[in-house]
């Protein structure tokens, strides 16, 4: 998942023409599965067509694995009635199917392709199940079979656990477009397996307005630091956070399921006082003069003229 762009390009014929695989694969026996092509190295490629152009989904050791990757892409590209190799429709009352349907619909085609190519789809799906899980099928409530993904909170009135907070540094809100998570907190609350640490995962955080922020979380071996990257710069811009502001992280737990939250506290005027607090500390003065002109008078001292 390690990508610094805001979206992943659906680059067509990815890894095909540059490696000469497309021409060579035509000489090999075809696969019995839809969307699967053999590779000269004995592996299997998965592909799907979008507007008559081929989108490469990655290379896999097992033929069946490539077929299942195609199925996932087909469900995102073609919808629930897509023709697949193994997958049945996700239109069931099974909670796992319901959560995967939410996951597919809340990510762009390009994002799903990126996960499939980097072999992180299963991990991110499981992470999403933890972050978005509802009790039962309570959010399955509109005509299309999808909940209003981010319009309602499935964890209303559920206690939240405070995880940690961090005072932002200038580099956290600067041109590096990343926030460093303290190592101790990262390994305690957002542990990454070694297989996906460098590629990272998308973590979904809900703010106080119930808006969900999808932030890429990964480990940078060059600086030996855990960071939030993709999506972080947009959070900084929209929230207006600056150096010395505080960002806090929370989690709600429902049984084995959990959901992540993010909040920020702005340091108003550099002293941490909110607007009302600042007003309460304004001294009661009668008049302020600038260049011989009265620019502020205490309303209590005004009289009718």
């Amino acid at each position: 998942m390690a990508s610094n762009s805001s979206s992943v390009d659906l680059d067509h014929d990815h890894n095909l023409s540059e490696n000469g695989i497309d021409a060579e694969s035509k000489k090999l026996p075809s696969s019995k599965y839809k969307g699967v092509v053999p590779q000269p190295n004995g592996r299997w490629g998965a592909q799907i067509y979008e507007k008559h152009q081929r989108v490469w989904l990655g290379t896999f050791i097992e033929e069946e694995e490539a077929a299942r990757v195609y199925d996932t892409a087909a469900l995102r590209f073609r919808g629930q009635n897509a023709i697949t190799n193994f997958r049945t429709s996700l239109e069931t009352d099974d909670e796992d199917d319901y959560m995967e349907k939410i996951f597919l619909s809340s990510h762009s085609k390009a994002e799903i392709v990126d996960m499939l190519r980097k072999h992180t789809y299963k991990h991110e799906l499981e992470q999403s199940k933890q972050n978005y899980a509802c009790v039962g099928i309570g959010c399955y409530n509109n005509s299309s079979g999808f909940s209003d993904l981010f319009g309602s909170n499935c964890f209303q009135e559920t206690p939240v656990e405070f995880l940690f907070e961090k005072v932002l540094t200038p580099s956290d809100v600067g041109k590096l477009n990343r926030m460093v998570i303290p190592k101790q907190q990262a390994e305690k609350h957002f542990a990454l397996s070694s297989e996906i640490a460098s590629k990272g995962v998308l973590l979904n955080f809900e703010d106080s307005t119930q808006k969900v922020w999808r932030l890429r979380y990964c480990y940078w071996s060059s600086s030996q630091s855990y960071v939030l990257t993709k999506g972080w710069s947009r959070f900084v811009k929209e929230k207006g956070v600056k150096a010395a502001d505080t960002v806090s992280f929370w989690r709600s737990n429902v049984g084995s399921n959990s959901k992540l939250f993010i909040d920020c506290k702005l340091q108003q005027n550099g002293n941490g006082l909110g607007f009302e607090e600042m007003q309460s500390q304004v001294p009661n003065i009668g008049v302020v003069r600038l260049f011989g002109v009265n620019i502020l008078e205490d309303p209590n001292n005004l009289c009718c003229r």
Side-chain angles (χ1 to χ4, degrees):
M1 289 182 49
S3 170
N4 292 327
S5 60
S6 58
S7 64
V8 180
D9 239 354
L10 286 178
D11 44 334
H12 304 101
D13 291 320
H14 180 84
N15 284 344
L16 293 177
S17 58
E18 65 181 7
N19 295 327
I21 292 177
D22 189 27
E24 292 186 38
S25 63
K26 294 179 181 179
K27 304 174 185 178
L28 300 173
S30 61
S31 171
K32 62 182 178 180
Y33 296 114
K34 185 175 180 63
V36 177
V37 292
Q39 305 295 282
N41 60 5
R43 298 195 176 197
W44 300 89
Q47 61 187 24
I48 193 170
Y49 281 84
E50 169 80 347
K51 298 179 180 179
H52 307 291
Q53 291 185 303
R54 178 165 39 190
V55 179
W56 187 247
L57 302 175
T59 304
F60 307 89
I61 297 176
E62 301 294 336
E63 185 180 9
E64 290 78 7
E65 183 183 7
R68 294 184 187 280
V69 165
Y70 169 82
D71 289 356
T72 298
L75 289 171
R76 180 60 184 86
F77 279 67
R78 313 272 190 262
Q80 302 305 308
N81 296 320
I83 299 175
T84 59
N85 296 297
F86 303 109
R87 302 295 298 270
T88 57
S89 171
L90 295 178
E91 295 288 349
T92 70
D93 288 336
D94 182 80
E95 187 172 355
D96 284 338
D97 287 345
Y98 164 70
M99 295 307 298
E100 184 166 7
K101 187 162 54 176
I102 289 182
F103 182 76
L104 287 171
S105 66
S106 61
H107 290 80
S108 68
K109 295 176 182 178
E111 288 175 325
I112 295 299
V113 168
D114 187 46
M115 297 176 205
L116 295 174
R117 288 177 183 167
K118 295 177 178 177
H119 300 203
T120 62
Y121 176 82
K122 290 182 179 179
H123 179 87
E124 294 190 32
L125 174 59
E126 290 305 312
Q127 178 68 47
S128 178
K129 287 179 181 179
Q130 293 180 13
N131 293 346
Y132 285 127
C134 301
V135 179
I137 311 296
C139 295
Y140 196 91
N141 56 17
N142 68 15
S143 59
S144 67
F146 290 90
S147 65
D148 295 330
L149 294 177
F150 309 135
S152 61
N153 181 3
C154 296
F155 290 93
Q156 285 180 353
E157 300 182 359
T158 299
V160 292
E161 172 194 2
F162 174 74
L163 300 181
F164 66 95
E165 64 180 17
K166 181 189 179 183
V167 177
L168 298 177
T169 66
S171 64
D172 286 329
V173 295
K175 295 181 180 180
L176 295 177
N177 297 324
R178 63 93 179 98
M179 171 189 166
V180 175
I181 302 291
K183 183 177 181 180
Q184 182 179 1
Q185 303 297 345
E187 294 180 346
K188 178 179 180 181
H189 301 295
F190 308 137
L192 285 173
S193 64
S194 57
E195 293 80 8
I196 63 168
S198 60
K199 297 178 181 179
V201 295
L202 279 177
L203 295 180
N204 302 298
F205 297 91
E206 186 174 303
D207 66 17
S208 58
T209 67
Q210 297 184 11
K211 178 175 181 177
V212 173
W213 299 86
R214 294 196 295 272
L215 306 178
R216 186 183 300 280
Y217 169 64
C218 60
Y219 178 75
W220 282 359
S221 57
S222 58
S223 58
Q224 298 186 346
S225 56
Y226 294 90
V227 292
L228 294 176
T229 56
K230 179 182 175 182
W232 173 250
S233 60
R234 185 167 65 90
F235 180 87
V236 169
K237 181 178 180 181
E238 293 191 19
K239 293 295 186 180
V241 296
K242 302 181 183 302
D245 292 341
T246 302
V247 174
S248 56
F249 298 88
W250 308 72
R251 175 184 285 121
S252 68
N253 293 293
V254 179
S256 61
N257 299 317
S258 65
K259 189 174 183 179
L260 297 172
F261 296 85
I262 189 170
D263 193 16
C264 56
K265 181 179 181 181
L266 307 185
Q267 295 290 326
Q268 300 291 343
N269 291 297
N271 59 9
L273 296 179
F275 177 73
E276 293 183 354
E277 293 172 301
M278 292 168 59
Q279 277 192 318
S280 66
Q281 295 188 16
V282 174
N284 186 12
I285 57 177
V287 62
V288 174
R289 296 177 63 84
L290 180 65
F291 303 126
V293 178
N294 295 349
I295 62 171
L296 175 64
E297 293 183 349
D298 184 345
N300 295 326
N301 292 340
L302 294 180
C303 59
C304 296
R305 294 184 173 89

